[in-house]
Amino acid sequence: ISLQKLMEPEVGVNRTSVTEFILLGLVETEQLQSVVFVVFLFAYLLTVGGNLSILAAILVEPKLHTPMYFFLGNLSVLDVGCITVTVPSMLARLLSHKRTVPYRACLTQLFFFHLLAGMDCFLLTVMAYDRFLAICRPLTYSTRMSKTVQRMLVVVSWALGFTNALNHTLTLTTLNFCGPNVINHFYCDLPQLFQLSCSSTQLNELLLFVAAAFMAVTPLVLITVSYAHVAAAVLQIRSVEGRKKAFSTCGSHLTVVCLFYGTGIFNYMRLGSEESSDKDKGVGVFNTVINPMLNPLIYSLRNPDVQGALWRVLVGKQSLT
């Protein structure tokens, strides 16, 4: 039986409730599965280690006790969460050679994935707003971005991400899955589950479209406007060194924004496609593995303060400041 035929909902079948899904994973041959296991285990350990190192550096280094690094620490927590939601379960299936995932476990994974992804959208917007205030409104920056404001912005981001994830998960439980249960992916996500539903997914797709407008387009517009003001302000700085320093603090964030939104838009704006493809898996790897793995490198590569703090964390020396 071909993969396409196996994944097609059959007409006239009994609407028995699906209790588990079959995740095909990234590759099928056993030799390649061994390679994938080693590569993804290494990527997972590297990502968790890198992000926790950034978090530890921010906590122990007094120089980094600023709003920008407070938000960066939260981003590191999100990156650890994002890769932990998807990769360990995939590694467990590779070890056990068991591809089945219970229905509830699939929904749980989807909920936490969208919780963290939604939080990411808002946190990246908050980080852009922080740079706007720091560069364009320096005289009022300390009052506008007080510790109370920082915590409120993070709490609101978590609340909005939670609401989005809960809405998607609850509306997904209203769909009927009456037989086909093969997901051509390595984790559970909305586009692939929509394809398996025997009932109409119009409401779910509408909700996803509205959520994309609210949680992706709106933050992206706000980020663009913030950085347009930042660019205009930086270009007015006479000192070349001053311009270079200002752009370096924003360049890392813009790189992360481009990677996050580029892959996200590709993934969720293709709901009309008939079946999951290897491109979807590639985008999934980028979203859940490569982005979280690159973020610590991007933020520390051109930042001497973070590099110094990381070195002190790794060798166990205390800061002199």
Side-chain angles (χ1 to χ4, degrees):
I1 301 173
S2 68
L3 174 62
Q4 185 174 357
K5 189 171 182 180
L6 186 63
M7 294 178 66
E8 283 179 357
E10 297 176 31
V11 179
V13 295
N14 293 328
R15 298 202 164 209
T16 54
S17 178
V18 168
T19 58
E20 62 183 20
F21 294 103
I22 299 171
L23 288 171
L24 295 182
L26 290 171
V27 293
E28 292 189 22
T29 60
E30 283 198 22
Q31 292 83 356
L32 286 176
Q33 285 178 0
S34 301
V35 174
V36 166
F37 179 85
V38 172
V39 169
F40 275 74
L41 177 61
F42 177 75
Y44 178 72
L45 295 175
L46 187 65
T47 302
V48 172
N51 280 287
L52 290 183
S53 297
I54 290 280
L55 187 60
I58 291 169
L59 290 173
V60 303
E61 176 58 64
K63 276 186 184 179
L64 304 184
H65 293 174
T66 63
M68 181 175 77
Y69 293 110
F70 172 73
F71 297 131
L72 179 57
N74 278 274
L75 186 66
S76 294
V77 172
L78 287 180
D79 287 337
V80 171
C82 189
I83 196 169
T84 301
V85 164
T86 53
V87 171
S89 58
M90 183 191 76
L91 295 176
R93 286 192 298 275
L94 287 172
L95 269 181
S96 64
H97 300 286
K98 185 180 178 183
R99 296 181 175 185
T100 57
V101 178
Y103 174 81
R104 289 182 182 275
C106 193
L107 289 189
T108 302
Q109 185 182 57
L110 183 141
F111 171 79
F112 281 105
F113 179 74
H114 281 270
L115 168 65
L116 296 166
M119 171 64 180
D120 227 329
C121 287
F122 292 113
L123 190 61
L124 290 174
T125 310
V126 167
M127 292 173 78
Y129 177 63
D130 172 71
R131 290 299 82 208
F132 164 74
L133 288 181
I135 294 172
C136 301
R137 304 287 187 271
L139 297 178
T140 58
Y141 176 65
S142 58
T143 54
R144 291 192 181 190
M145 195 54 76
S146 64
K147 287 189 179 296
T148 303
V149 173
Q150 294 169 43
R151 292 178 186 128
M152 283 179 61
L153 288 170
V154 170
V155 168
V156 169
S157 297
W158 276 109
L160 292 172
F162 176 82
T163 303
N164 172 67
L166 188 63
N167 284 337
H168 284 307
T169 307
L170 289 178
T171 54
L172 194 67
T173 60
T174 66
L175 298 181
N176 292 317
F177 295 95
C178 57
N181 65 341
V182 179
I183 300 175
N184 188 21
H185 215 302
F186 66 97
Y187 63 91
C188 296
D189 202 3
L190 292 172
Q192 290 74 35
L193 289 171
F194 288 169
Q195 292 165 14
L196 299 181
S197 174
C198 299
S199 51
S200 173
T201 60
Q202 285 186 347
L203 176 62
N204 302 75
E205 292 184 18
L206 178 62
L207 178 63
L208 185 58
F209 180 80
V210 172
F214 177 64
M215 302 192 63
V217 177
T218 302
L220 193 56
V221 169
L222 293 174
I223 291 170
T224 304
V225 170
S226 295
Y227 276 109
H229 283 88
V230 167
V234 170
L235 291 174
Q236 292 177 1
I237 299 175
R238 293 181 180 181
S239 165
V240 175
E241 192 63 33
R243 284 201 300 267
K244 185 179 177 182
K245 185 177 181 181
F247 274 128
S248 69
T249 60
C250 301
S252 300
H253 182 242
L254 279 173
T255 304
V256 172
V257 168
C258 291
L259 290 172
F260 178 78
Y261 278 99
T263 53
I265 289 169
F266 180 88
N267 198 32
Y268 294 106
M269 292 300 158
R270 298 174 65 251
L271 291 176
S273 58
E274 287 299 318
E275 60 178 286
S276 301
S277 66
D278 289 337
K279 287 182 181 178
D280 296 310
K281 295 181 186 180
V283 172
V285 170
F286 220 99
N287 277 332
T288 62
V289 181
I290 296 178
N291 280 355
M293 186 169 61
L294 288 179
N295 284 354
L297 183 64
I298 292 169
Y299 279 107
S300 63
L301 197 60
R302 293 183 299 174
N303 193 318
D305 290 336
V306 174
Q307 289 173 2
L310 280 172
W311 174 252
R312 281 185 283 276
V313 167
L314 293 173
V315 299
K317 291 183 179 179
Q318 295 295 317
S319 173
L320 297 176
T321 55

